[in-house]
Amino acid sequence: MSRRDMGRAAAIRPLRDVPGWDDEADVVVVGLGAAGACGALAARSVDADVLALERASGGGGTSAMSTGQIYLGGGTPIQEKCGFEDSPEEMYKYLMASCGPGEDEPKIRLFCDDCVEHFHWLVAQGVPFKETFYGDGSYTPTDDCLSYSGSELAWPYRDIAMPAPRGHTVQQESIEAGGMLMRRLLEAVERSGTRIQVDTLCETLVVDEERRVVGVVAKVEGVVRHYRARGGVVLAAGGFINNREMVDRYAPLLRKCKMRLACDGDDGRGIRMGMGAGAEAMRMETASIVLPFTVPKGLIRGVMVNRQGQRFINEDAYQTVVGEAALHAQGGQVYLILDDAIFERPFPPTEIAAVGETFEELERELGAPEGSLQQTLELYNRHAERGEDPVFHKDSPYVVPLVTPPFAALDYTTDTAIWAVFTMGGLRTTTEGEALTPDGEVITGLYAAGRTTSGLAAQGYSSGLSLADGTFFGRRAGRAAAARARDQERGR
Amino acid sequence: MSRRDMGRAAAIRPLRDVPGWDDEADVVVVGLGAAGACGALAARSVDADVLALERASGGGGTSAMSTGQIYLGGGTPIQEKCGFEDSPEEMYKYLMASCGPGEDEPKIRLFCDDCVEHFHWLVAQGVPFKETFYGDGSYTPTDDCLSYSGSELAWPYRDIAMPAPRGHTVQQESIEAGGMLMRRLLEAVERSGTRIQVDTLCETLVVDEERRVVGVVAKVEGVVRHYRARGGVVLAAGGFINNREMVDRYAPLLRKCKMRLACDGDDGRGIRMGMGAGAEAMRMETASIVLPFTVPKGLIRGVMVNRQGQRFINEDAYQTVVGEAALHAQGGQVYLILDDAIFERPFPPTEIAAVGETFEELERELGAPEGSLQQTLELYNRHAERGEDPVFHKDSPYVVPLVTPPFAALDYTTDTAIWAVFTMGGLRTTTEGEALTPDGEVITGLYAAGRTTSGLAAQGYSSGLSLADGTFFGRRAGRAAAARARDQERGR
């Protein structure tokens, strides 16, 4: 296969070309990250025979590398314990406002309504959450749980929906929370009686003459194997940020971003397998684009400017929302202006693009158009003296005048800073995880979940939404595939 | 069919369900706008039997409603006559820079290389062009020909490629040039011996057991008819801006724009037919977004601001480039600031959102954040006194200080002004017009051209590119379908 072919759908294997089945199950799960694990658990919970195929030598996928934060709300026990009021309705309002236009309303509706139940289910699988509030951001260095992980407190969302922290980080010190999440889910999968087969690279789907998906073709130690799925195949094989051809084809701007939040498996294979069987891929241009400038949090008091020396967003919008705006509308050419009073070294680190004793000097050193940055900062300061930001509506705690020289511009251009991205586009699915053709027909026997699918959000990513998507809709996909297996058995 | 279904692919008709053929031809062309007409002409030129099916009572489509401007260059006789130097290479550089990221490089390469030949071909079909230079814009109220119809003279393109006017408007007084183009092309189609059948609404494709496209199903006066295509079907049925469900699904931002540059036929049917047969639709979010603020041309001396009172682009970028930036990054909330010295009534007209004797008064009346618009205009004026715009690089002829009160803000918000849009996304095709599946396979017997396809540009539309795309690649699609018919006949 040429590199060029890697950007394309994977041609199906017709059933008539399958020499025989090497194994079979009610439900075959492709990929054992969060979505696949929850799919397997849900299918096993109704006694389906489940075979989970994982390309790596163990499960976990990108979920295990994540910060272990899951976007949950609507009034979870932890939200209540920590004294935050939330409801499915407020959560719905926030997601509808922040994830669109183009948001998946039926998925958002269902997810908000059933979110508290989903929290309890995760706990029942052994996923630990501490009943504590941490603060905000996508990353909790302690073992605390709750954070504002989106733009809930930022304009305009704070006026649209009652803000509540919804990022639920799994209990574990430091960056290992994603690892803990997957350790516990995989232990549950093992306990459940799911048959797990690792080092198995699924390559394409087996399709019968009625265009139903009836199995998968995989390679195990170089040998081609065929696995029959009596009820269905659940594609849960991650996104495509590590497939250069697909990124060029569908989301070329992402090429500018240095860091791919992904394991090797995020090479788009699951999406390509689905497309090969006739499933529609949608929103393939969308991504979570993290511009990580908000640690330490005091940096939000800085002023983010583009290369014209202008502000373009409220700096307290969530880092993914800032990242999206900065990449799409500003070409990834942005800087964060600080004065000496609020200066702190950012984490992750980036370079200092310019310093100056005056705004004029800073502007000159930065190469911004003469007068542009000066006036931006003067106007900002003028309003900031009253704690106000009538231009972009940054919340007053973050609005302080920058008056203490020297002034510095942190370099957040894509050339220098670490922008962290993963893809959000993928197969179009129903709320039950059924894959759909472009004409809206369900592809019998094909289910998908997690970043192999397009999920709740079309844009405006809040941290934790992918693990939420994957775990919540992964369960539904596994359950639906199991139900179909049962129906098949009963001869329906 | 429910309204919801209208947003989806059209299910194919299996060959085995076709009761019999009502007619047949080597090449069946669906839609008689510019792309279909050129497809028919090209197929007839190699003696294929061509049946053209048109849903309206006569050909023309949206092409006939257009301004009749075709983007052509590389050194056409008219460019030469008018004293403009151009070459395929400079044209290529401009299109590659302005149409990306995501531009279709093979199509751009071929189009630039063969553009002069294409000009001669159009003339040979009877399309008249006067050997005169008009100026710029998408619309030529006189019968003159040549205009700058893109951002060739604007930063940064003027530094990337040697600017040349490439908009070639068909010779005809006033807005009838599109009508003249289609009158002449349709006369040529009739002369060519193409069999034209109007009032025929094609609904879906007939596909055989090998998934080859072998015909179309249409309705004629309420009766279902089946037309066999021995060589292939050429879908040239326009875009989808008049399909509300498709717009919601693929390009929801366009819903904000008041004016759809389209005939009724632009309801996405051609795209849906292709998708039903397994073709991939791509770049479905893209559009030509005209923000028509540049007539009279002196208005370019105004200052375009967003609702934060900031500039966001060089006002001499082409009106579609300004429109794209204004819609995507500014939510369609933009205003054009003028002083009394440069004030003129715009065409098309729009409202005056605010007036003021001072910048401060203007800003207050506009409801812009206090100080924001004032400083934008002060900085603009400061540089403009030297004829410079170091912030956004507007070209110096358009850079004059705004110093004569009263000042006015023309309302170019999507709520008020006439933004004119049509869709640019569609079927993925090869340079020969062959429709492709998501896995990059050619769908045997299926060809497409014009706005039913995704063409040269992924963004940065220059006026005339759609007629260029449609006529140039329409020819290639018709020729390829005819060649296949000949191969079939020879039993290959």
Side-chain angles (χ1 to χ4, degrees):
Chain A
M1 177 175 287
S2 72
R3 286 200 66 77
R4 189 157 172 218
D5 290 335
M6 288 295 295
R8 294 172 173 168
I12 56 151
R13 180 75 42 95
L15 177 57
R16 62 175 179 271
D17 296 345
V18 173
W21 297 113
D22 294 286
D23 198 350
E24 61 178 84
D26 291 330
V27 178
V28 174
V29 174
V30 178
L32 259 184
C38 293
L41 287 167
R44 281 299 301 145
S45 74
V46 292
D47 289 329
D49 176 30
V50 181
L51 176 63
L53 306 175
E54 165 59 43
R55 61 192 284 166
S57 296
T62 302
S63 306
M65 301 164 53
S66 76
T67 60
Q69 188 175 59
I70 314 178
Y71 198 90
L72 300 168
T76 67
I78 293 183
Q79 288 180 313
E80 287 180 8
K81 200 78 164 196
C82 297
F84 293 102
E85 210 178 314
D86 196 10
S87 70
E89 211 44 47
E90 295 301 319
M91 185 178 174
Y92 175 82
K93 282 191 226 162
Y94 171 72
L95 289 176
M96 288 298 289
S98 62
C99 295
E103 72 288 343
D104 191 325
E105 197 276 341
K107 284 187 181 169
I108 290 175
R109 181 77 263 174
L110 188 69
F111 174 60
C112 292
D113 288 347
D114 289 0
C115 207
V116 173
E117 184 277 337
H118 186 55
F119 171 85
H120 287 294
W121 182 87
L122 287 167
V123 171
Q125 309 313 307
V127 178
F129 297 98
K130 194 173 174 186
E131 292 181 331
T132 50
F133 177 65
Y134 172 72
D136 51 32
S138 62
Y139 169 58
T140 307
T142 63
D143 66 351
D144 293 311
C145 179
L146 209 54
S147 284
Y148 286 97
S149 64
S151 297
E152 296 86 356
L153 290 166
W155 181 89
Y157 309 105
R158 64 179 182 237
D159 300 331
I160 293 171
M162 191 177 66
R166 301 195 182 97
H168 286 62
T169 298
V170 173
Q171 184 176 2
Q172 172 72 15
E173 292 289 340
S174 89
I175 204 147
E176 291 298 313
M180 171 59 85
L181 167 69
M182 288 313 301
R183 199 150 51 244
R184 290 298 172 84
L185 285 179
L186 291 170
E187 285 164 7
V189 170
E190 287 197 14
R191 279 197 308 273
S192 76
T194 297
R195 295 184 289 132
I196 298 172
Q197 185 175 312
V198 298
D199 296 319
T200 302
L201 179 63
C202 292
E203 294 198 321
T204 190
L205 293 164
V206 180
V207 174
D208 73 8
E209 287 179 4
E210 306 293 319
R211 299 191 66 75
R212 292 178 295 222
V213 171
V214 296
V216 298
V217 182
K219 271 215 188 98
V220 184
E221 293 180 0
V223 181
V224 176
R225 304 280 187 188
H226 299 84
Y227 302 96
R228 181 175 172 221
R230 288 183 294 258
V233 173
V234 178
L235 295 174
F240 68 88
I241 193 68
N242 279 328
N243 181 316
R244 184 169 166 156
E245 286 67 31
M246 288 178 81
V247 170
D248 281 349
R249 187 167 182 171
Y250 295 113
L253 276 176
L254 300 185
R255 285 288 298 282
K256 289 189 173 187
C257 302
K258 283 196 195 307
M259 185 178 178
R260 299 188 293 275
L261 292 173
C263 67
D264 291 349
D266 286 305
D267 66 355
R269 196 171 292 260
I271 296 169
R272 293 171 52 230
M273 289 169 71
M275 289 170 81
E280 183 176 20
M282 63 182 282
R283 293 184 195 149
M284 293 291 276
E285 73 286 3
T286 63
S288 166
I289 301 164
V290 179
L291 176 55
F293 72 98
T294 62
V295 175
K297 194 172 162 177
L299 291 173
I300 298 174
R301 294 174 297 174
V303 172
M304 183 76 76
V305 297
N306 60 21
R307 66 175 174 182
Q308 286 85 26
Q310 301 174 310
R311 290 177 77 208
F312 59 94
I313 200 165
N314 41 335
E315 293 83 358
D316 63 339
Y318 195 57
Q319 55 186 352
T320 53
V321 175
V322 176
E324 211 172 286
L327 187 66
H328 287 122
Q330 310 300 340
Q333 300 294 303
V334 299
Y335 304 89
L336 187 69
I337 311 299
L338 306 171
D339 73 354
D340 200 53
I342 66 168
F343 186 86
E344 293 178 272
R345 290 273 163 195
F347 178 83
T350 192
E351 292 176 19
I352 294 174
V355 289
E357 288 298 318
T358 62
F359 292 159
E360 189 183 354
E361 197 178 317
L362 183 71
E363 173 183 276
R364 202 165 43 239
E365 193 166 329
L366 193 58
E370 189 245 307
S372 59
L373 181 60
Q374 293 178 63
Q375 67 166 21
T376 294
L377 295 172
E378 282 157 14
L379 182 67
Y380 180 82
N381 277 353
R382 174 138 57 95
H383 293 301
E385 276 156 22
R386 297 192 301 269
E388 290 173 6
D389 173 23
V391 183
F392 284 100
H393 311 283
K394 179 158 66 168
D395 207 7
S396 51
Y398 300 109
V399 179
V400 296
L402 306 185
V403 291
T404 313
F407 305 101
L410 294 182
D411 189 338
Y412 280 105
T413 62
T414 45
D415 288 341
T416 303
I418 294 176
W419 293 50
V421 293
F422 58 89
T423 58
M424 295 285 288
L427 303 180
R428 185 189 293 272
T429 51
T430 66
T431 54
E432 308 313 298
E434 301 155 303
L436 295 170
T437 66
D439 49 337
E441 297 294 318
V442 166
I443 299 176
T444 304
L446 184 59
Y447 305 84
R451 281 293 66 89
T452 301
T453 67
S454 174
L456 300 155
Q459 53 185 290
Y461 189 72
S462 297
S463 283
L465 275 180
S466 275
L467 287 178
D469 235 336
T471 57
F472 186 85
F473 291 103
R475 286 174 68 193
R476 300 187 78 88
R479 195 168 63 190
R484 180 161 181 272
R486 205 168 48 236
D487 288 350
Q488 295 282 101
E489 199 179 337
R490 289 174 187 158
R492 286 189 205 158
Chain B
M1 177 174 289
S2 72
R3 286 201 65 77
R4 191 160 170 215
D5 290 335
M6 288 296 294
R8 296 172 172 168
I12 56 150
R13 181 74 44 93
L15 177 57
R16 62 175 178 270
D17 296 344
V18 173
W21 298 111
D22 293 286
D23 198 349
E24 61 180 83
D26 290 330
V27 178
V28 174
V29 174
V30 178
L32 259 184
C38 293
L41 287 168
R44 280 299 300 145
S45 73
V46 292
D47 288 328
D49 176 30
V50 181
L51 177 62
L53 306 175
E54 164 58 44
R55 61 192 284 167
S57 297
T62 302
S63 305
M65 300 163 53
S66 76
T67 60
Q69 187 176 58
I70 314 178
Y71 199 90
L72 301 168
T76 68
I78 294 182
Q79 288 180 313
E80 287 181 7
K81 201 77 165 194
C82 296
F84 293 102
E85 210 178 314
D86 196 10
S87 69
E89 211 45 47
E90 294 301 318
M91 185 179 175
Y92 176 82
K93 282 191 226 162
Y94 171 73
L95 289 176
M96 287 298 289
S98 62
C99 296
E103 72 289 344
D104 191 325
E105 197 276 340
K107 283 187 181 170
I108 290 175
R109 182 76 264 174
L110 187 69
F111 173 60
C112 292
D113 287 347
D114 289 0
C115 207
V116 172
E117 184 277 338
H118 186 55
F119 171 85
H120 288 293
W121 182 86
L122 287 167
V123 171
Q125 308 313 307
V127 178
F129 297 99
K130 195 174 173 186
E131 292 181 332
T132 50
F133 177 65
Y134 172 72
D136 51 33
S138 62
Y139 170 58
T140 308
T142 63
D143 66 350
D144 292 310
C145 179
L146 208 53
S147 285
Y148 286 97
S149 64
S151 297
E152 296 86 355
L153 290 166
W155 183 90
Y157 309 105
R158 64 179 182 236
D159 299 331
I160 293 171
M162 190 178 65
R166 301 195 182 95
H168 287 62
T169 299
V170 173
Q171 184 176 3
Q172 173 71 16
E173 292 289 340
S174 89
I175 205 148
E176 291 298 313
M180 171 59 84
L181 167 68
M182 288 313 300
R183 199 149 52 243
R184 291 298 172 84
L185 285 179
L186 291 170
E187 286 164 6
V189 170
E190 288 198 13
R191 279 196 309 272
S192 76
T194 296
R195 294 183 291 131
I196 298 172
Q197 185 175 313
V198 298
D199 296 319
T200 301
L201 179 62
C202 293
E203 294 199 321
T204 189
L205 293 164
V206 180
V207 173
D208 73 10
E209 287 178 4
E210 305 295 317
R211 299 191 65 75
R212 292 178 294 222
V213 171
V214 296
V216 298
V217 183
K219 270 213 188 99
V220 185
E221 292 179 359
V223 180
V224 175
R225 304 280 187 188
H226 300 84
Y227 301 96
R228 181 176 172 221
R230 289 183 293 258
V233 173
V234 178
L235 295 173
F240 68 88
I241 193 68
N242 279 328
N243 182 316
R244 184 169 163 157
E245 287 66 32
M246 288 179 80
V247 170
D248 281 350
R249 186 168 184 170
Y250 295 112
L253 276 176
L254 300 185
R255 285 288 297 282
K256 288 188 173 187
C257 301
K258 283 197 195 306
M259 185 178 177
R260 299 188 292 277
L261 292 173
C263 66
D264 291 349
D266 287 305
D267 66 355
R269 195 171 292 260
I271 296 169
R272 293 171 52 230
M273 289 170 70
M275 290 170 80
E280 183 176 21
M282 63 182 280
R283 294 184 194 149
M284 293 291 277
E285 73 286 2
T286 62
S288 166
I289 301 165
V290 179
L291 176 54
F293 72 98
T294 62
V295 175
K297 194 172 162 179
L299 292 173
I300 297 174
R301 294 173 297 174
V303 172
M304 183 75 75
V305 297
N306 61 20
R307 66 175 174 182
Q308 285 85 27
Q310 301 174 310
R311 290 176 77 207
F312 59 93
I313 200 164
N314 41 336
E315 293 82 358
D316 63 339
Y318 195 57
Q319 54 186 352
T320 52
V321 175
V322 175
E324 211 172 285
L327 187 66
H328 286 122
Q330 310 301 338
Q333 300 292 304
V334 299
Y335 305 88
L336 186 70
I337 311 298
L338 306 172
D339 74 352
D340 200 53
I342 66 169
F343 186 87
E344 293 178 272
R345 290 275 164 194
F347 177 83
T350 192
E351 292 176 18
I352 294 174
V355 288
E357 288 298 316
T358 62
F359 292 160
E360 188 182 355
E361 197 178 316
L362 182 71
E363 173 183 276
R364 203 166 43 239
E365 193 166 328
L366 193 59
E370 188 244 308
S372 59
L373 181 60
Q374 293 178 63
Q375 68 166 22
T376 295
L377 295 173
E378 282 156 13
L379 182 68
Y380 180 81
N381 277 353
R382 174 139 55 98
H383 293 300
E385 276 157 21
R386 297 191 301 268
E388 289 173 5
D389 173 23
V391 184
F392 284 100
H393 312 282
K394 179 158 65 169
D395 206 8
S396 52
Y398 300 110
V399 180
V400 296
L402 306 185
V403 291
T404 313
F407 305 100
L410 294 182
D411 189 339
Y412 279 105
T413 62
T414 45
D415 288 341
T416 302
I418 294 177
W419 292 50
V421 293
F422 58 88
T423 59
M424 295 286 288
L427 303 180
R428 186 189 294 272
T429 50
T430 66
T431 54
E432 308 312 299
E434 301 155 304
L436 295 170
T437 66
D439 49 337
E441 297 293 317
V442 165
I443 299 177
T444 304
L446 185 60
Y447 304 83
R451 282 292 65 89
T452 300
T453 66
S454 174
L456 301 155
Q459 52 184 288
Y461 190 71
S462 297
S463 283
L465 275 180
S466 275
L467 287 179
D469 234 337
T471 56
F472 186 85
F473 292 103
R475 287 174 67 194
R476 301 186 77 87
R479 196 169 63 190
R484 181 161 181 271
R486 206 168 48 238
D487 288 350
Q488 294 283 101
E489 200 178 337
R490 289 175 187 159
R492 287 192 205 156

